[in-house]
Every structure is written in C-alpha cells, then in structure tokens.
Amino acid sequence: MNAQPAALTALLLPALLPALLLTACATGGGGAKPGGGADGGADGGDGGASDGGGDTGAAAGCSGDPFSRASLQADISRLASPEWDGRRPGTPGDAAARGLIEARFACLGLEPLLASGEFQEPFVDHKGRATANVLAALPGRDASVAHEVVLVSAHLDHFGRGRLGANDDASGLAVMMAAAQALAAGPGPRRTVIFAGFGSEESGFEGSEAFVTASASEISPADVVFNLNLDMVGSYSQTDIVYALGTMDGTPGRRAIDALVGDFPSLNIGLGDWSNESDNVTFCRRGVPYLFFWTEDPECYHLDCDTEDRIDYVHLVEIAALTGALVTALGDTEDDLGGAVRRGEKVCKG
C-alpha cells in the first residue's frame, strides 16, 4: 500500500470517529444486477468532495433487536443521507460511512482483521480515489473448522452527486451490520465469520479484489469457503421477490436455504439463478460458492430516486432475519464447505 490512502484516512477520520463511536455504542434500536459485467461502470470521475460532516444522526446501536425496522431504518437513513451524498469513494461521505461501520464493529466486540489491528484496509481504486474496505471477524468456536471462513459482504459506495444509493447498497450494509450484531450476541458459529464492507464496487469490484489479492489480513483470503453477498435488498415490493442467486442445485448455499425457506412464509424467494454482477464475482471466479441476496429495482436502479423513503422495510426486516439465520446455518453446517471450493475454477454459474 502506498501512503496516499493512509494520508487521506488520517485527514478525514479523526474528526469523525469520536462522534461515530459515541453513537454506535449508544442504545438504539433492478436494474441489470444479475446479468454480466461490472456493476454500473464509470461514474463520470471524482469531482469535488461533498461535506460528509461528523453528524451521525440516530444510527442504530449495539443493543436492542438488530432486525427491527427501527434499527435498519436508522442505519439506512444515515448511510443514504444527503450529507453523505452516496458515499462516493474518496469523499468525506465515504469516510463517514466507513467510520460508522468501523465503530459498530468495535462496539460489538468483533476483532479487527488486519495485522495492524485496524478495521480499515486502505487502497486506491483505478480512478485514483483513496478509500478502504472495513473488515471484522467473529472467530469460530470449533477448532476443527475455525480456519474456514464464511464471508458476509455488502458494498460501501454509490455514485453520489445526488444519487444516494439507499437500496444500492445502504440496504445491504444495514443488513450486514444487523447480522453481525445478532451473531456477536450469541455463542457464535463453529466457523469464523468475516463481515466486510467493500469499497469501490461500482467501478468494478475493486475493494473485494484488493482484499483477495493484496490483503494485510491476519486471516488469509484463501480460507474463505463461502460468500454471502448482500446488494440491493430493500426493494422487494417492486416485483414481490427476493432472489437468492448462486443457489444452483447441489450447492451448499442451496442446501442451507432450502432448510430455512419454510421459516419465512412471507418471502417469495427465487432460487437457482446465478449472477456475476456484484462482489460475489470476486470469489466465485476463484471457485468459492456464494449466495447473493438481491431485489429488483427497475424504477430507480442507479438513479437519484434511490432514496431511503422508497425502502420496503416490511420485507427488509424478514430478509435481514433470514440473513442472520443463514449465516448461522452456514457457520454451523456439517457440510464440507472447504471441500465444495473448486480452486482455479469459475463457479459463478454453478
């Protein structure tokens, strides 16, 4: 890593993090995604940085029901606020969002993933924007499989300049943090779980690529045996379905979700399709099985109408609870997840 991202982080975060830590530890409660190619392409350059500010608003905390509407809405409202302007990489809004997630991980008692003891893994994307991944681990409790990693991911960035990305992907970040809170409150699964907010996804999955190719993590990315990816999970009511992409017959994700579908009768869950349109592609191109939760948003995908007031919280609560149950199931399964990884093969289509 060069000094540029570290320097930018040093400039932006000291003023933001104390307020974020205070808030996070207080009490508190489609577009074309499934097809092929990079998600969204270029965003027209970086331009001037918007004022991210240090005002975190009423972000959800480390206590209470993580899967309640109030908790999820508080996080999405902050992440998709006009002040943070879509969390575009290299802007104060991006730094503020990373600070919020880092503070939440710390408050939950999750372990920093980097050898340096930091939660943030800086990198510079191909447009020269200094940003970072935010990474934390919940160590597995069973020594026989604790070396295997279930990675839960959502992406930090959207396009900004009025495009706030409430569904894409503040919704995924909120669900990821809710799952982290739920698992941290219990005994934890047998396998290690990594929670990852990846940067610069919209420009070509750059944060997840930085994680697998140049990570300074104490846990090797090669130990990831399953990726549960969350991208655009807040628009269920648009088409009355949530897709569990990557659940082709015979995959560990399909077996895990088949056992849970009956517990969530209010959700119409689409099974069996595949995707190479989000950070899951970084892992499935390397042989790692995945499950990618996604809801269609034909009206506002990558448009400025993707705002918090359009989120379908009735079903998002259920999707969040399903995510928590699925992470636990994958973490505890007797399935040979390590044996299902096909190194050197592409398994995005099964």
Side-chain angles (χ1 to χ4, degrees):
M1 297 293 172
N2 63 38
Q4 184 179 1
L8 182 64
T9 302
L11 285 171
L12 292 176
L13 286 180
L16 297 172
L17 203 48
L20 291 165
L21 283 164
L22 180 62
T23 301
C25 292
T27 56
K33 281 276 185 189
D39 177 16
D43 67 359
D46 189 34
S50 61
D51 179 15
D55 175 18
T56 62
C62 293
S63 61
D65 180 2
F67 302 131
S68 70
R69 173 174 178 149
S71 293
L72 293 165
Q73 188 166 7
D75 280 333
I76 294 174
S77 295
R78 191 65 253 160
L79 289 163
S81 65
E83 293 80 12
W84 290 5
D85 192 30
R87 311 168 305 282
R88 185 161 44 91
T91 65
D94 170 35
R98 287 187 271 119
L100 172 63
I101 295 165
E102 175 180 4
R104 185 68 52 77
F105 288 166
C107 184
L108 292 172
L110 301 179
E111 295 187 1
L113 203 58
L114 303 186
S116 63
E118 302 294 327
F119 286 100
Q120 295 200 32
E121 177 182 56
F123 67 95
V124 178
D125 69 17
H126 81 278
K127 297 181 179 181
R129 301 177 300 188
T131 184
N133 299 322
V134 189
L135 309 166
L138 180 64
R141 57 179 168 79
D142 183 342
S144 68
V145 290
H147 63 283
E148 296 185 344
V149 172
V150 174
L151 186 141
V152 184
S153 57
H155 71 87
L156 289 156
D157 60 311
H158 198 62
F159 296 103
R161 301 190 179 93
R163 290 184 284 177
L164 304 181
N167 190 29
D168 187 10
D169 187 27
S171 66
L173 291 169
V175 170
M176 178 193 69
M177 288 191 286
Q181 180 181 339
L183 267 71
R190 297 170 60 224
R191 291 173 177 82
T192 294
V193 179
I194 288 177
F195 297 96
F198 287 131
S200 292
E201 185 266 359
E202 300 285 9
S203 56
F205 326 125
E206 296 191 68
S208 53
E209 281 290 336
F211 169 72
V212 301
T213 59
S215 181
S217 167
E218 290 192 322
I219 298 175
S220 171
D223 292 332
V224 175
V225 296
F226 196 91
N227 173 219
L228 175 55
N229 189 55
L230 303 157
D231 195 350
M232 294 175 56
V233 290
S235 54
Y236 181 98
S237 61
Q238 290 289 306
T239 55
D240 292 324
I241 190 169
V242 54
Y243 291 95
L245 301 163
T247 53
M248 291 72 70
D249 287 340
T251 59
R254 180 59 176 266
R255 288 189 290 273
I257 200 166
D258 277 347
L260 293 171
V261 166
D263 295 335
F264 296 88
S266 64
L267 292 177
N268 178 24
I269 303 172
L271 301 172
D273 209 344
W274 63 277
S275 174
N276 61 359
E277 276 292 328
S278 188
D279 282 309
N280 66 289
V281 74
T282 296
F283 301 95
C284 64
R285 284 178 178 170
R286 292 171 169 85
V288 177
Y290 70 99
L291 190 152
F292 167 16
F293 279 133
W294 172 77
T295 57
E296 293 181 84
D297 194 359
E299 293 181 4
C300 291
Y301 175 65
H302 284 181
L303 299 178
D304 59 7
C305 56
D306 181 8
T307 52
E308 186 274 329
D309 59 291
R310 295 183 65 258
I311 297 294
D312 175 7
Y313 286 105
V314 171
H315 292 99
L316 184 64
V317 165
E318 293 292 302
I319 292 169
L322 173 58
T323 298
L326 187 60
V327 177
T328 299
L330 289 164
D332 285 339
T333 184
E334 295 294 334
D335 264 10
D336 182 8
L337 293 188
V341 177
R342 287 148 48 185
R343 302 291 179 194
E345 299 183 39
K346 296 179 180 179
V347 298
C348 301
K349 298 182 181 180

